[in-house]
Amino acid sequence: MTTPRKLHVKTLGCQMNVYDSQRIADVLAQSHGLAATDDPAEADVLLLNTCSIREKAQEKVFSELGAWWHAYKQARPEVIIGVGGCVASQEGERLRARAPYVDLVFGPQTIHRLPLLLNQAQGRRAAVDVSFPEIEKFDHLPLPRATGPTAFVSIMEGCSKYCSFCVVPYTRGEEFSRPLLDVLTEIAVYTEQGVREVTLLGQNVNAYRGATPRGGVADLAELIGQAAQIDALARIRFTTSHPVEFTDSLIVAYADQPKLAPHLHLPVQSGSDRILRAMKRGHTAAEYLAKIERVRAARPDLSLTTDIIVGFPGETEDDFAATLALVEAAGFDEAFSFIYSARPGTPAAALADDTPAEVKKARLARLQALIERQSKAYAAALVGSVQTVLVEGPAKRGEGQLHGRLGNNRVVNFAGPEPLTGHLVDIQITAASAHTLRGEPVGSRHAA
């Protein structure tokens, strides 16, 4: 018996890319018998699944590709190097012009065509497909394979909001939703393999409008309600949301669906109405806070996280002060904050930007210090409480230690036997840092 050839996929960027990378592995395992490996040195096919949301992320792509060329392909020319994801979609043929040793380039919507593209590349013919065939991608993917008690499920792709700073509509296309039954089937397949928690994914996930078998349309709240009826499924999450699409029915779901995790990631980007208009976000700071207030009324134990851009073109000190005020008013548990990075082809890239880099860095440091204080305070308030944890597996450090995730998305480490993986366990929180918790199991009770 010959040893199966091996595939190494390195993932950069968001949860959508994590999902796509797993499906890439599924596709090529089925079509070419490629076995996944974490070691690029032993791989016959090296694929980089990329992100172009910021310039730094895009430059990292070419750095990684150059390292692969020098380390592997120079010595073994038969090694296939491919690039997928948003950088591939944005650059297309230009990517090969800059990195001519790349054998194949594929977009987020064409991973189902990888078998044909790989055959072409193995025939020493460059393969490039960054088209947008929409839902065809999901119609041709094999059944998913679980790799643990949690799984990502892509329910829609693309974005039609066209925020002035964002490249996603140009790299992943317009919004399109998978049919309701297709999504529920994928979730059911995962649960049959031991998955207890799913995260529903989309660039603008709460714009989901999936066709139903009877010709209707289901929104995200209906999908959550239907998924919650799958007995083996213990917890449901979703990301990433847009405030404008956060509907009344979704707020009701937080009150009515106990399997929906008490966590919401809702990007605000700025607390200044002037900057929000320039970003083309479609909402004001007050409207954002009002929506948050309603969600918290529906789910008082809600944990709230967000994304914030610092130094958007034209941002003044007053605009930044408004952002700090919104962060305090919203009481964010955590936030992903970044200095604005102009992306080619977006409207914001043409805006005048005369704020010095040093000022932007100082603002980012002030914002992150505030968020860190709020995060530590939130974590400290959990100490002494008993929380239900989904055990995900051994902790990264410490023999006999496990790690799991609370409904609020906080990670907790505790001592316990590995067979608890995949179970819901009651844990008393004993200590907290800004980003992780320590705990002890309460008795021996756990849910199967």
Side-chain angles (χ1 to χ4, degrees), residues 103-106 110 113-122 125 127-129:
D103 301 291
L104 64 92
V105 180
F106 58 99
T110 55
R113 298 178 181 173
L114 268 174
L116 294 175
L117 296 173
L118 181 55
N119 288 341
Q120 184 175 331
Q122 288 174 330
R125 292 179 296 129
V128 179
D129 187 347

Side-chain angles (χ1 to χ4, degrees), residues 7 27 190 194 203 206 237 287 312 330 403 411 438:
L7 165 72
V27 166
Y190 272 131
Q203 271 77 32
N206 50 349
R237 303 183 188 275
E287 288 167 344
F312 187 82
H403 82 279
V411 173
R438 295 285 311 170

Side-chain angles (χ1 to χ4, degrees), residues 356-387:
E358 295 74 18
V359 172
K360 294 179 182 180
K361 290 178 182 177
R363 287 176 183 170
L364 180 65
R366 288 163 58 194
L367 172 63
Q368 291 179 335
L370 171 60
I371 293 166
E372 187 80 356
R373 291 195 297 273
Q374 292 185 182
S375 185
K376 286 181 177 178
Y378 178 88
L382 294 172
V383 174
S385 68
V386 175
Q387 303 283 337

Side-chain angles (χ1 to χ4, degrees), residues 225-307:
Q226 295 267 3
Q229 296 179 36
I230 300 174
D231 290 339
L233 190 63
R235 190 183 286 162
I236 303 167
R237 303 183 188 275
F238 62 88
T239 196
T240 292
S241 296
H242 192 291
V244 171
E245 296 277 5
F246 209 89
T247 61
D248 291 347
S249 63
L250 194 52
I251 294 173
V252 170
Y254 271 100
D256 292 351
Q257 299 295 342
K259 288 187 178 183
L260 178 58
H263 173 248
L264 171 60
H265 184 73
L266 190 61
V268 67
Q269 308 300 359
S270 175
S272 162
D273 288 345
R274 192 179 71 85
I275 295 299
L276 288 170
R277 285 193 299 272
M279 290 178 167
K280 299 189 184 302
R281 291 290 288 168
H283 63 84
T284 65
E287 288 167 344
Y288 179 94
L289 290 171
K291 197 152 287 191
I292 292 307
E293 186 176 350
R294 293 182 61 205
V295 183
R296 283 205 165 112
R299 184 68 73 88
D301 60 341
L302 185 80
S303 164
L304 180 65
T305 59
T306 197
D307 296 338

